[in-house]
Amino acid sequence: MPETIAYLDHAATTPMRPEAVAAMLGFLTERYGNPSGSHSIARQARLALDEAREVVATALGAQPGEVVFTAGGTEADNLAITGVHAAREGARRSHPGQGGTVVCPAAEHHAVLRTCAALGGRLVPALPDATVDLDALADTLGPQTSVVSVMLANNEVGTVTPLAEVAAVVRQQAPDAALHTDAVQAFPWLDVASLAAPADLVAVSAHKFGGPKGVGALVVRAGTSIAPIIHGGGQERDRRSGTHNIAGIVGMAAAMRATVATRDATVQRVAALRDRLADGLLAAVPGAVETGPRRSKVAGNCHLRFPGVESEALVVLLDQEGVCASAGSACASGAMEPSHVLMAMGLPVTEANTSLRLSLGATSSDDDVDRALDVVPKAVAHLAG
Ligand code: PLP
């Protein structure tokens, strides 16, 4: 491993915040209680759970009773979509298969796309900036629509969806449908409490903003019915069974509090770093192209294409030189599989396979950008040559 590393894959996961680690430690050692119990050790855990729920609710613009703790963003998305769908099916028991139709745009994360597919849902085309095509959405929705799931910020290219506009279309065309938003990539950068206010369900994941992996939350607004997808002891008011991951939940709450308190300053600082990185690479690499309009992206996203350079090979070479990045394609069965997001944006396969995502986070520094500006142009020139 090279001596110094420029970690530019924060959209995949970001380092734990010290506040989160400190908050968790006691719950990994002496405060080991199960909050469902009825003795003093259990009460200690329940108090911590209640406090964490308050913090998470405030950060997400919800009431504490609307927060359901999950084992991450994937589970939160699954619970939102399958949970509403199943609740509606349950309410119409006399008409099996009448849970309605689930709808999502083609550039969603697989946690949403595959849940939608598993329920026989419908896909809506994306625009060239990866946001949903609102006209196509309006045409797809109808009285049968049960859930519409539209992400707040895209995980690959970083574009932010105007959720209020999506909500207006949904309320107009499918007034009975629930609107879910995957805010997993948005939370580090955007005021999710206000931007996701038009949604009935909101999913977040702790490890994207300095909390631990395997913990997340789903806001289920009062009046939105969901059926559980995990059955058991009835925790989380019967919406998500399983003994609470107290340390993880407390860590997530601490990371959320720290993220919200510093978000404006972080966005300003990181956007400047990202701009220096993107502009520097566009100037240094002949033919380099930026994906999507920068003004509609979250601050940490830098997504570029280097014509003629296969992104998987580039990521391997960058890794050898101490730059951690991510490719817009994956090698499946010996062939390059282009990213479904880039395909949904209408890019040809050959271009999609030349893309590189450099994602910055709260701990990104000028040194990271300097290193990438030094290493990436050389690596691209080497592979192009
Ligand atoms: N949704 C989006 C937009 C994501 O970027 C991710 C993670 O990459 C997820 C959902 C899944 O979250 P988790 O890793 O917590 O399961």
Side-chain angles (χ1 to χ4, degrees), residues 48-370:
L49 182 64
D50 291 346
E51 283 173 9
R53 198 184 297 283
E54 294 262 352
V55 172
V56 172
T58 305
L60 296 177
Q63 295 300 315
E66 296 175 326
V67 172
V68 180
F69 290 119
T70 66
T74 302
E75 188 192 312
D77 284 334
N78 273 259
L79 176 58
I81 299 166
T82 309
V84 170
H85 186 79
R88 289 184 182 208
E89 212 155 50
R92 302 180 196 172
R93 259 201 200 103
S94 49
H95 302 89
Q98 294 298 300
T101 310
V102 172
V103 173
C104 79
E108 290 291 303
H109 188 273
H110 280 130
V112 166
L113 272 186
R114 291 187 176 152
T115 306
C116 186
L119 296 170
R122 296 186 62 182
L123 280 188
V124 181
L127 296 172
D129 69 356
T131 62
V132 62
D133 180 334
L134 291 175
D135 292 334
L137 179 67
D139 289 345
T140 309
L141 301 181
Q144 275 304 310
T145 311
S146 56
V147 191
V148 184
S149 185
V150 181
M151 71 200 326
L152 194 49
N154 186 276
N155 47 299
E156 283 191 39
V157 295
T159 14
V160 179
T161 297
L163 203 66
E165 291 175 30
V166 171
V169 172
V170 173
R171 303 307 177 211
Q172 166 93 35
Q173 301 296 115
D176 292 336
L179 174 61
H180 168 56
T181 191
D182 174 334
V184 168
Q185 292 290 339
F187 192 82
W189 312 110
L190 305 174
D191 179 9
V192 170
S194 68
L195 291 175
D200 303 302
L201 305 119
V202 185
V204 290
S205 171
H207 75 102
K208 307 292 186 180
F209 52 85
K213 292 166 186 59
V215 192
L218 178 69
V219 169
V220 183
R221 299 222 196 268
T224 304
S225 298
I226 58 162
I229 58 172
I230 295 176
H231 304 273
Q235 288 89 344
E236 295 297 283
R237 296 209 207 152
D238 251 343
R239 293 168 296 184
R240 200 281 186 182
S241 286
T243 301
H244 290 96
N245 172 3
I246 293 292
I249 289 167
V250 165
M252 171 165 70
M256 258 186 170
R257 204 199 290 265
T259 299
V260 172
T262 53
R263 194 155 47 196
D264 289 350
T266 304
V267 165
Q268 219 181 357
R269 190 181 67 79
V270 173
L273 286 176
R274 185 273 314 273
D275 289 348
R276 188 161 78 80
L277 176 64
D279 292 338
L281 291 177
L282 288 168
V285 181
V289 185
E290 186 166 11
T291 314
R294 205 184 297 173
R295 65 178 182 286
S296 51
K297 282 166 178 272
V298 292
N301 183 281
C302 172
H303 195 283
L304 301 172
R305 306 193 300 281
F306 303 109
V309 174
E310 200 179 73
S311 49
E312 281 283 300
L314 180 58
V315 165
V316 171
L317 192 52
L318 293 179
D319 183 37
Q320 286 165 9
E321 298 299 324
V323 174
C324 299
S326 145
S329 59
C331 194
S333 336
M336 293 301 287
E337 284 288 325
S339 126
H340 71 276
V341 173
L342 301 177
M343 300 306 289
M345 293 166 73
L347 288 178
V349 177
T350 44
E351 260 194 68
N353 281 343
T354 65
S355 60
L356 183 73
R357 183 187 71 183
L358 298 159
S359 53
L360 297 84
T363 55
S364 293
S365 66
D366 272 309
D367 287 349
D368 296 328
V369 171
D370 289 341

